[in-house]
């Protein structure tokens, strides 16, 4: 597969590398791995003054955190959870607004601070388990995707692992022009810095599944991202993506 060369003003050239992108699986789930660590549960239970904390195994922490929160009023429980997860990002006045908005809005996708989205999701998950009649049940997109390249440069990029901007830009190539991701990040998807990419991809891991040590390579990426961004992948099977 050849790499096309694109010419820009000033006689500068940039080479774009083309990949085959294959969507292996897309699903909407309501639990994300590593959202709450054992340490985070223990900190919460300590704040809630849960007397039996020293005797709990790691497997029991989630259930007992829910039970401990249910001893409180929903708004009080939400305040404690949000203060733990967002101690430096949201002040008390905004926490009061957020805990109310979480009852009716998808704040893990819609909050103005994208850096808070994953943390809000984790809070929403626990609060929904404790107070299902008060707080919405959250969801997140789980995507498994293969990136294939038959070019030397593309194989090298896959072996070195794709960073968040490259993954997001490649996925965007398979989306329609009216996709939210394309409309909101048109310039960043084209080139240059793209700091929001790390807030679009909440968690991901990648592995080389085929490599002939010459030109060709295949990489599989397993990722979690809000459906707000990646829902267009639900009806996509295979496409060509390109990135610098």
């Amino acid at each position: 597969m050849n790499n096309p060369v694109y010419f820009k003003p000033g006689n500068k050239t940039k080479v774009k590398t083309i990949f085959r992108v294959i969507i292996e699986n897309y699903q909407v789930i309501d639990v994300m791995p590593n959202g709450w660590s054992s340490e985070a549960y223990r900190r919460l239970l300590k704040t809630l003054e849960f007397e039996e904390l020293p005797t709990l195994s790691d497997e029991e922490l989630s259930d007992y955190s829910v039970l401990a929160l249910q001893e409180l009023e929903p708004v009080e429980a939400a305040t404690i959870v949000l203060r733990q997860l967002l101690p430096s990002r949201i002040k008390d006045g905004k926490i009061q607004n957020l805990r109310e908005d979480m009852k009716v809005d998808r704040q893990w996708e819609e909050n103005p601070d994208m850096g808070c989205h994953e943390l809000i999701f984790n809070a929403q998950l626990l609060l929904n388990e404790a107070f299902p009649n008060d707080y919405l049940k959250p969801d997140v997109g789980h995507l498994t995707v293969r990136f294939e390249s038959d070019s030397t440069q593309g194989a090298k990029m896959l072996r070195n692992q794709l960073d968040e901007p490259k993954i997001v830009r490649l996925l965007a190539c398979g989306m329609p022009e009216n996709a939210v991701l394309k409309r909101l990040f048109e310039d960043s998807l084209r080139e240059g810095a793209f700091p929001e990419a790390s807030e679009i991809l909440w968690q991901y891991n990648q592995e080389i599944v085929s490599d002939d040590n010459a030109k060709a390579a295949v990489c599989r990426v397993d990722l979690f991202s809000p459906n707000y961004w990646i829902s267009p992948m639900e009806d996509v099977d295979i496409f060509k993506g390109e990135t610098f």
Side-chain angles (χ1 to χ4, degrees):
M1 185 179 296
N2 296 322
N3 294 330
V5 177
Y6 293 75
F7 293 87
K8 296 197 128 191
N11 295 322
K12 295 182 179 180
T13 62
K14 284 190 175 182
V15 178
K16 281 189 176 181
T17 302
I18 298 178
F19 297 85
R20 285 186 300 275
V21 185
I22 302 164
I23 305 302
E24 294 187 336
N25 184 53
Y26 174 87
Q27 58 181 329
V28 178
I29 60 175
D30 55 20
V31 177
M32 191 169 56
N34 306 315
W36 280 86
S37 65
S38 296
E39 179 184 355
Y41 278 129
R42 291 186 184 278
R43 285 201 310 271
L44 177 62
L45 286 168
K46 183 177 180 180
T47 300
L48 296 172
E49 299 181 348
F50 190 76
E51 295 180 356
E52 300 177 25
L53 176 57
T55 67
L56 296 182
S57 67
D58 288 351
E59 291 72 22
E60 297 175 305
L61 293 172
S62 174
D63 290 340
Y64 278 97
S65 293
V66 170
L67 291 174
L69 289 173
Q70 289 174 336
E71 295 295 320
L72 307 174
E73 291 297 317
V75 292
E76 183 182 1
T79 299
I80 291 173
V81 172
L82 291 171
R83 279 176 177 168
Q84 173 171 316
L85 293 180
L86 303 165
S88 60
R89 298 196 70 116
I90 297 183
K91 296 182 179 179
D92 283 351
K94 290 187 176 181
I95 281 182
Q96 294 177 13
N97 294 332
L98 177 58
R99 73 188 184 192
E100 294 302 318
D101 292 341
M102 289 169 66
K103 295 180 178 180
V104 294
D105 296 323
R106 298 170 64 87
Q107 286 296 302
W108 63 95
E109 294 178 342
E110 301 172 2
N111 191 272
D113 187 348
M114 285 182 61
C116 291
H117 285 183
E118 183 177 358
L119 298 172
I120 292 173
F121 175 90
N122 294 331
Q124 188 89 32
L125 178 63
L126 189 59
L127 291 172
N128 171 261
E129 290 178 353
F131 309 103
N133 294 327
D134 294 276
Y135 288 96
L136 296 176
K137 187 173 186 177
D139 55 48
V140 63
H142 180 203
L143 184 67
T144 303
V145 56
R146 286 167 59 102
F147 298 103
E148 301 181 352
S149 175
D150 294 329
S151 74
T152 302
Q153 179 62 25
K156 180 179 179 181
M157 291 170 65
L158 293 180
R159 292 188 198 102
N160 291 337
Q161 299 204 341
L162 300 171
D163 58 18
E164 292 98 331
K166 287 185 176 65
I167 294 173
V168 174
R169 284 168 173 151
L170 287 170
L171 291 178
C173 292
M175 298 181 183
E177 293 305 314
N178 63 351
V180 175
L181 184 65
K182 282 191 169 183
R183 288 190 285 109
L184 294 185
F185 297 105
E186 179 181 1
D187 293 337
S188 297
L189 287 169
R190 188 177 299 116
E191 61 180 324
F194 193 3
E196 296 88 355
S198 62
E199 296 165 351
I200 292 170
L201 292 187
W202 286 355
Q203 295 182 27
Y204 72 99
N205 63 74
Q206 51 191 308
E207 61 173 340
I208 295 294
V209 295
S210 177
D211 187 353
D212 66 4
N213 294 315
K215 292 177 61 177
V218 178
C219 174
R220 176 178 289 114
V221 177
D222 191 64
L223 64 89
F224 298 86
S225 176
N227 293 294
Y228 186 68
W229 306 119
I230 65 168
S231 59
M233 295 290 94
E234 184 175 9
D235 299 318
V236 176
D237 295 319
I238 184 171
F239 58 92
K240 289 185 178 180
E242 58 184 21
T243 185
F244 288 112

